[in-house]
Amino acid sequence: TALAGKHVAMFFEKPSLRTRITFEAGVCGLGGTVSFVDQRQERLDARESLADIAHNLERWVSAIVLRTFAHETVESMAEHACVPVINALSEIEHPCQALADYFTLYEKFGNLKKVTLAYVGDGNNVLHSLLLTAALFGSNIRIGTPKGYGPNSQILADAREIAKITGATIELITDPHKAVRGVDAIYTDAWTSMGHERETEERARVFPPYQVNDELMAEAAPDALFMHCLPAHRNEEVTDSVID
């Protein structure tokens, strides 16, 4: 198997159910072994520099998986370690999530160039990775976010440059109903991501029109999928009737 004799280290600064279990199951299923390090009580570089950590780890393991707050933590580890470093979530991106989501769309619909995904809600790290993945696959993505809560401008610019090569289409729309009209899948995420809890009350006033409910789903294609990276806050960004 592909990872026979390989050992992977996983350092998670944030809580996780799906990311931890699926990485562990995937590595073990491919014949490898895993060391999980819970970093929720202190940041990864609290005791020593990331460079020192990286140079130690590269002698013991075949790959490093990080679930962090600062995207710079991933970049710094990758800069100093001579083994692959995998982003299992940072404040800027969640690439493995987006790859899994587009694999689901491929399984359901086939040709991704003919698929249109609507993302409705907060322009967060999940949206950033969905945006870049859609661009790379030459797929179509509509982004329905409130004013002031859209995607990172640099990520958007990067995606648009990629789209020029692949033929992907990227649309930014503030009206959630226009964003979902006739699409193959509607995707949403929590209105308040980890690390932004201080904004919860303000976001609770801004985002209700972006809730994915039966009315909004009815505007998509008849066989449209509902997608969510989870965990879901039921009856906030999505109703029970839709997610179930």
Side-chain angles (χ1 to χ4, degrees):
T1 53
L3 296 181
K6 307 291 186 183
H7 192 77
V8 176
M10 298 169 53
F11 289 81
F12 281 32
E13 292 179 343
K14 291 186 175 186
S16 177
L17 171 66
R18 285 151 293 277
T19 305
R20 176 179 176 178
I21 297 299
T22 54
F23 263 101
E24 290 184 340
V27 171
C28 294
L30 291 170
T33 54
V34 177
S35 289
F36 176 79
V37 184
D38 186 347
Q39 292 286 162
R40 286 178 298 169
Q41 302 308 311
E42 62 179 13
R43 297 296 172 86
L44 187 58
D45 57 355
R47 291 180 61 245
E48 56 186 314
S49 74
L50 274 171
D52 288 346
I53 295 170
H55 291 316
N56 277 271
L57 288 172
E58 69 186 7
R59 286 160 169 77
W60 309 326
V61 303
S62 300
I64 302 165
V65 178
L66 300 181
R67 183 175 174 91
T68 73
F69 285 89
H71 192 71
E72 292 76 14
T73 301
V74 182
E75 293 177 330
S76 181
M77 186 71 82
E79 177 185 352
H80 294 291
C82 66
V83 296
V85 174
I86 298 170
N87 181 358
L89 181 141
S90 71
E91 64 188 8
I92 300 296
E93 289 192 57
H94 199 354
C96 296
Q97 175 70 51
L99 286 170
D101 289 324
Y102 268 87
F103 183 63
T104 297
L105 290 170
Y106 174 75
E107 287 182 312
K108 176 71 174 179
F109 298 111
N111 187 354
L112 291 173
K113 290 183 180 294
K114 296 182 179 179
V115 172
T116 301
L117 171 69
Y119 179 97
V120 178
D122 181 35
N124 61 15
N125 50 1
V126 172
L127 171 58
H128 294 157
S129 289
L130 290 169
L131 182 54
L132 290 167
T133 306
L136 286 163
F137 282 132
S139 198
N140 311 300
I141 187 166
R142 292 188 203 155
I143 301 164
T145 55
K147 289 181 180 177
Y149 291 92
N152 174 285
S153 59
Q154 185 59 58
I155 296 281
L156 180 60
D158 290 346
R160 283 180 163 156
E161 285 301 309
I162 296 167
K164 290 178 183 178
I165 300 167
T166 63
T169 62
I170 299 167
E171 298 177 79
L172 265 66
I173 303 169
T174 54
D175 184 337
H177 297 278
K178 289 182 180 178
V180 305
R181 198 159 294 154
V183 299
D184 301 297
I186 299 177
Y187 200 119
T188 195
D189 191 7
W191 293 339
T192 305
S193 298
M194 285 182 283
H196 296 273
E197 286 80 6
R198 65 189 180 281
E199 302 173 16
T200 300
E201 287 187 20
E202 175 62 22
R203 286 168 177 265
R205 288 191 289 270
V206 171
F207 281 95
Y210 295 81
Q211 182 188 70
V212 182
N213 49 35
D214 291 326
E215 179 187 359
L216 200 69
M217 283 300 302
E219 298 187 44
D223 61 346
L225 299 182
F226 170 73
M227 304 179 77
H228 195 304
C229 62
L230 301 176
H233 299 81
R234 286 169 173 266
N235 300 307
E236 289 185 19
E237 71 270 12
V238 59
T239 58
D240 285 335
S241 60
V242 170
I243 196 169
D244 289 335

